[in-house]
Amino acid sequence: MNLFSFNSWLSRFLYLVADIVLFHVLWIIFSLPVVTIGASTTALYYCCMKRIRRDEGYITRNFLQAFKSNFKQSTLIWLLILLVGAILFTDLRIGMAAGGVMGRFMLISCSILLIPFLCTVLYIFPVQAKFENRIIDNLKNAFLMSLSNFLFTLLLVFIIATFVLLTLTFPPFIGLMMISGIGIYAYLTSGIYVYVFRKYIPDELEEDAQAAKIDQEY
């Protein structure tokens, strides 16, 4: 096989690199107003999971479509996350400043609430990208999935911690993060979400295989 043919491993790798950079750029552009980060993240995971499942291109078109269709719900979810996060952070600061029995009680209470909050945040936008439900249902499902797939949740936490550690301790990694960091992280974690979600959509793997077969015929 010609190394530079369309189906060669080198061409596929280069297309993947280009798509990851595009994921990164699109997410940054559509997240600039800050309030749209939720919709942008949902669109990002929609595109990444579709790329993994069916090796599908049309990144920009898919991103715009997912951004528009999920804008309202994803924005409300993002604002809710900011509100709850701000409350927990404030309570933690007050607990640390207060000291004594009351301070320890607030720290313990906030720490207990922080775990389900963070678990839900890890899954909510991929769940929003995948399932058409009410906000409350997606929030509930995100939390339950994080618990029922706890080993994968730990893997997601490990990936995040690795990215943070490399950014803080390995200067060349900062350059990579600036060019494609969000795209790399989203693509890596999307593989986990695809695997987890197939437990709840058992026919998806067969549908993806049939769709890929049709694409190859054309």
Side-chain angles (χ1 to χ4, degrees):
M1 180 182 293
N2 187 342
L3 191 61
F4 296 99
S5 67
F6 179 79
N7 288 321
S8 70
W9 67 267
L10 179 59
S11 294
R12 287 180 174 274
F13 174 74
L14 292 176
Y15 278 120
L16 176 59
V17 170
D19 286 346
I20 286 174
V21 173
L22 184 56
F23 290 146
H24 176 82
V25 172
L26 286 172
W27 184 86
I28 289 177
I29 291 174
F30 283 84
S31 296
L32 286 178
V34 180
V35 73
T36 60
I37 287 178
S40 184
T41 304
T42 300
L44 174 66
Y45 274 111
Y46 176 84
C47 291
C48 285
M49 289 190 288
K50 206 160 190 177
R51 177 69 165 78
I52 290 172
R53 287 173 48 221
R54 300 188 176 184
D55 197 21
E56 184 175 319
Y58 311 110
I59 303 299
T60 303
R61 186 188 70 183
N62 287 339
F63 191 99
L64 292 173
Q65 178 185 352
F67 183 88
K68 181 178 179 181
S69 62
N70 290 282
F71 181 81
K72 182 178 179 180
Q73 284 196 341
S74 296
T75 301
L76 290 174
I77 290 171
W78 171 241
L79 294 176
L80 180 62
I81 288 172
L82 289 179
L83 176 62
V84 175
I87 292 172
L88 290 174
F89 178 76
T90 302
D91 287 347
L92 285 171
R93 292 293 300 271
I94 293 174
M96 288 187 291
V101 176
M102 182 58 69
R104 287 194 294 271
F105 175 77
M106 291 187 66
L107 288 175
I108 293 172
S109 300
C110 289
S111 298
I112 292 173
L113 294 174
L114 191 61
I115 294 174
F117 171 72
L118 293 177
C119 288
T120 303
V121 170
L122 275 176
Y123 280 79
I124 184 56
F125 293 115
V127 167
Q128 177 66 28
K130 186 66 178 179
F131 302 98
E132 294 184 9
N133 284 315
R134 298 179 304 167
I135 291 177
I136 186 64
D137 292 328
N138 276 343
L139 287 169
K140 179 180 69 176
N141 291 336
F143 175 62
L144 293 176
M145 286 180 187
S146 71
L147 295 183
S148 59
N149 299 277
F150 190 65
L151 291 179
F152 289 107
T153 302
L154 290 179
L155 180 57
L156 291 169
V157 172
F158 174 77
I159 293 174
I160 293 174
T162 301
F163 270 68
V164 172
L165 184 62
L166 287 174
T167 302
L168 295 175
T169 62
F170 188 56
F173 192 74
I174 298 175
L176 182 64
M177 287 294 293
M178 292 178 64
I179 296 172
S180 58
I182 299 300
I184 294 173
Y185 171 79
Y187 192 81
L188 286 175
T189 55
S190 289
I192 298 173
Y193 294 122
V194 167
Y195 181 82
V196 168
F197 293 160
R198 278 178 176 163
K199 297 180 180 180
Y200 308 95
I201 313 175
D203 296 332
E204 184 179 81
L205 181 60
E206 183 178 351
E207 293 174 359
D208 289 345
Q210 291 177 349
K213 183 178 180 181
I214 293 173
D215 289 340
Q216 288 178 356
E217 289 177 355
Y218 285 96

